[in-house]
Every structure is written in C-alpha cells, then in structure tokens.
Amino acid sequence: MRYITALIIMVLFSSTSYSQTYEIGIMAGGANYIGDVGSTSYISPNKFAFGGIAKWNRSNRHSFRASLLYTSLSADDADADDSRRNQRGYEFENSILEGSLGLEYTFWEWNLHNYKPQFVPYLYTGITGFLSNEMALDRNNEISERKRKIDFAIPMVLGVKWTFDTHFVFGFEVGARYTFTDNLDGSSPEEFDGGENLPSFGNPNTNDWYMFTGFTITYSFGRKPCYCNF
C-alpha cells in the first residue's frame, strides 16, 4: 500500500511541476492614507510607492502572490473638507515598508501559454505585515515620530492585467489596506505609551487605512503545462 501511495504522490508531483508558470517584476504608483488627519478621500495618491512582486500561477484562475512595497504616508488637515480639521491644523508623515502574501483570483481563465492577447480583471487578498513609525503629539502639539513597530493589515485589491507579448504582463490595480492599528497618525498613542498618558484625538473606534494605486510589470517564465496520459 505504501508503494502505491508513493507512486500516486510522485505522479501528482510530476504533473504539477510541469504546469508551474511564474511571474516576477516591479510595481510602482502612488499611496495615500485615510484616518483621523487630513483628507478623507479614498483614492487620492500623494506619495510615490514602489516595490517588487512575484506570482506562482497555480491554475488558469488563481495565483499565489508575494510582494514588497515601500512608500510614505502623509496627511495635512489643511487639505480636509472638514472645517474642524482645518482649524486644528495637524499634519504628519510616516514611512511604510510592507510585505504581503496571498491569493490572486481572475474572473475568467488566464493562460500565459496562450500567446493570443489577453485581458482579465482580478481580485487579490491575503495578509500584509508592515513596518512603520509610532506617532504621537509632542509638547509643541505637533505629531512626531517615536519608534518603529510592526503591524498587520488586510489587503483588498481590484485590478486588471493584460499580456504585452509572449512574456510580459502589464497590470493596473487599486488596493486598500485595512490596518489593525489606529496610530499611523499619532491619534491613539495609548497603543504603545507605556504609562506616559500621551494625548489622543479623533475617533478611537475606527482603525487607519492606506491605499496603493499603480501599475505592475512582470516577466513570465516556466514550462508549458503537460497534459500527459499516464
């Protein structure tokens, strides 16, 4: 029985190993923050963002995806539509280094070994970890950096991608990151104050978000799927 099990595993492994197609490339665009400081516009990129992306196209409908992205997030109450924020006058800037791992799902079949032009929409989600600065109001009533920390977020991405030639793939996507922190902007320093009793502001019941809007360019490689009869 164990020899039969081993044979089945070998057959399955050999059939999937010949059907792997990979992509590797870059992503670039803009980022913006949504929270207790500045504008509340959802898609309003004001900082450059760039990074790398890799995919394993596991089937014609889904891919495992990993990415690294670096950007800064900034906001200024002067840009808000709310007059109370205008009068308050807070502003900040925070750097973000994120790594994300998850699943990309296409709405219809996507076959990189079909050399005809292709165009498909897709969704992506998974888990994102990011390194950012802890922020807090200082004695001058200005938002300043405290220390670096790691937080997590849920990415929710909608995009489209299309083939350029036999190996290059272009994509455009808009993605929100719902973070597990409310202190990208210094509004909830109680998350880390350690008894310092630092002042807070804004809505304590909502976490911060940030957005990425931009393009991806990837190079595809890997062997053509083998549909052999064993």
Side-chain angles (χ1 to χ4, degrees), residues 188-205:
S188 297
E190 65 271 12
E191 291 185 10
F192 75 98
D193 65 9
E196 294 182 65
N197 294 319
L198 296 169
S200 60
F201 60 90
N203 186 350
N205 299 315

Side-chain angles (χ1 to χ4, degrees), residues 30-171:
N32 65 281
Y33 145 93
I34 307 161
D36 294 305
V37 177
S39 172
T40 54
S41 299
Y42 282 94
I43 303 176
S44 182
N46 60 0
K47 288 292 183 178
F48 181 66
F50 65 95
I53 186 169
K55 300 180 187 181
W56 173 22
N57 296 298
R58 191 61 183 85
S59 77
N60 289 343
R61 298 297 292 273
H62 78 280
S63 306
F64 295 112
R65 165 174 158 171
S67 64
L68 285 173
L69 185 71
Y70 178 81
T71 188
S72 292
L73 301 178
S74 69
D76 190 332
D77 279 343
D79 299 325
D81 295 327
D82 188 338
S83 60
R84 292 171 297 181
R85 292 194 179 189
N86 297 152
Q87 294 172 3
R88 186 181 60 185
Y90 288 157
E91 61 179 310
F92 79 95
E93 184 166 336
N94 199 342
S95 61
I96 297 286
L97 176 63
E98 72 158 44
S100 187
L101 183 65
L103 186 70
E104 184 176 290
Y105 175 81
T106 59
F107 284 85
W108 51 80
E109 287 193 358
W110 171 255
N111 181 3
L112 289 176
H113 297 284
N114 178 355
Y115 299 121
K116 296 179 180 179
Q118 297 179 81
F119 180 91
V120 296
Y122 64 86
L123 294 172
Y124 168 73
T125 191
I127 187 69
T128 292
F130 63 93
L131 182 66
S132 66
N133 293 309
E134 288 280 14
M135 312 293 285
L137 286 169
D138 60 23
R139 294 180 180 179
N140 298 319
N141 201 34
E142 296 179 349
I143 301 172
S144 59
E145 299 177 1
R146 303 283 292 193
K147 62 180 181 179
R148 299 288 276 174
K149 69 163 186 173
I150 295 175
D151 276 305
F152 295 91
I154 303 281
M156 292 169 278
V157 178
L158 175 64
V160 292
K161 56 185 178 180
W162 61 95
T163 53
F164 180 67
D165 64 6
T166 57
H167 287 290
F168 287 96
V169 179
F170 285 142

